[in-house]
Amino acid sequence: MLCNLSRAIPLGMVGLLLLLPQGEARASCFPEGAVQQCSSGACLGTQVCDTYWSACEFSGASTQSCSVCGRSGTVTCDSNGDLISGTCSAYGPEVCNNCDDDGDGSVDEGLTDGACDPQGNGCTGTKTCVAGAWVCVIPSNRQLTCGSQCGGTAYRQCNPDGSAGPCTRVTASAEACNGCDDDRDGVVDNIPGQGPDTLVTSCVGPNGPCAGSTRRCAGGSWSTLCTAPAEQCNGMDDDCDGQFDEDGVCRSDSLSCQCQPWTCAQLGLNCGSVPDGCGGTLNCGSCPAGQTCGGAGTPNVCGLGDGCIPTPMSTACAGKNCGTAVDGCGGSYSCGTCTGYNSCGGGGTPNMCGCTPMAQAAACTGRNCGTVSNGCGGTYSCGTCTSPQSCGGGGTANVCGCTPLTQAVACSGKNCGTVSNGCGGTYSCGTCTSPQSCGGGGTANVCGCTPVSQAVACSGKNCGTVSNGCGGTYSCGGACTGYYDSCGGGGTPNVCGCTPMSKAQACGERQCAFAATGCGGNVSCGTCPSGTVCKAGMCDGDIESSRGPEETSGPYSR
């Protein structure tokens, strides 16, 4: 096939029009052996005068201007004298300016400037150029170690801004009041699904844990502030003050009280004050005119007489160590007070300190886990919970439960895959788009992609750009150095090479002489029959017609 490129070659006064195959530029060249400049459009080259019509060997230079990141240059030409789209001599090494300096399709790639630690806490990264500015890029897997406060191996996750998160257990366990994220839900010292410092437990009084009471975890330790119910007549230290059924709460609750107070009628008394047998005092009234309390000799009984001789305290309190004892004349003595778990008559004997423990069934009523007080300094175990439930996990002390995380909390900091709700269920945090995959960047449940290194991506390649597997590219080399080579020209992508034309392609309509194959070689297009000569690749029988009247030298000289 012929192209539109033509050269007029003057030979004396005669001009011959030479039509060339596509990709070749030839012009008159004289004298033989001389070197001269030549061009095709904007592409520049040199021509060695080995014949009258010598090919222009293009150097790659051109006069076509271009610019890269504010720098001026020229477009590169190929060996055929065609401008190579996308090339420019102004391309150079990448610098941090938010511009593609090296022409590989990526901006500011691979530019680093040593280590950095923005918060000064050990969360180190690499100073990296991002969008024309130097920033500290901290790897998503950077972690700091924690001490022994978590009761097991724990770490602090480094955040992108260089700050460090809370100490987090490597292996999830029940949340404890220790300033750590034990159950790995992203929050410290919390009831699952709630905010930080919401963990609660029973208060511990002088007699042990107090059922129904609560205290909160604050700053990694249990608060001293206790919230407890009012005291009830139940043989327990409800208000967690170390006393049982105090302040007379049992006086009107004979059905539930362990000690049943006497009445004046039961005792056969009608005056003065007497013990009620449960640490309290009965007022049995006063005597009518003319009688005195104990006047007839019977204590606390009205009678005639001149007076009453009080019973000595040692006699009145004999065999007693608490409550009050009467003096027989309307008065009374205090026989002592009880301490600890004991109450007056609590063991079943009036005016004697004692304590009757609650049965385990009663102490654990409405509870199914943890320990509770027996009311007398001992404890009962009400059972254990099975995972994912924990004792008090639903917000009620001594009751197994679990409060699931909300999806927002469970998926916080995550954007793909499934995560636990903390109570046996799961949530979907989303899906990733290619080339990213869930966890592909090294962080579980976070979309990411780990690019292949340039060495791996460019293995076996020496030119052009290749993908890094994550949407970016690498340059595997500059322009091919071989004069006739081009990137992929040999049929292998990203490898410099040249595929020569076949004889039919190179010769076209030529009948004789040699034609360039496009890769630095030549191919013979044939020889002319006897009696003809080869002129411009065509056999001609009239040799005289090709000579000018003034030619005296050259291949057709007379």
Side-chain angles (χ1 to χ4, degrees), residues 94 97 123 212 231 274 286 291-292 324 333 335 340 364 380 396 473 526:
E94 198 75 5
N97 58 1
C123 285
E231 192 74 6
V274 294
S286 57
Q291 295 185 11
T292 59
T324 58
Y333 300 114
C335 297
C364 289
Y380 294 122
T396 303
T473 58

Side-chain angles (χ1 to χ4, degrees), residues 42-143:
C43 293
L44 305 177
T46 57
Q47 186 178 27
V48 179
C49 299
D50 52 357
T51 65
Y52 278 111
W53 43 83
S54 298
C56 186
E57 303 292 338
F58 294 101
S59 63
S62 78
T63 59
Q64 180 69 46
S65 62
C66 58
S67 65
V68 175
C69 301
R71 301 185 298 271
S72 298
T74 57
V75 177
T76 304
C77 292
D78 62 17
S79 60
N80 296 322
D82 296 319
L83 294 172
I84 302 176
S85 177
T87 63
C88 186
S89 63
Y91 281 117
E94 198 75 5
V95 296
C96 188
N97 58 1
N98 199 28
C99 190
D100 182 13
D101 299 278
D102 55 10
D104 64 353
S106 299
V107 175
D108 296 343
E109 76 280 6
L111 298 180
T112 59
D113 190 24
C116 51
D117 186 355
Q119 303 288 344
N121 58 3
C123 285
T124 57
T126 302
K127 191 175 181 182
T128 305
C129 181
V130 178
W134 290 103
V135 298
C136 189
V137 177
I138 298 174
S140 59
N141 60 352
R142 179 79 75 228
Q143 296 173 345

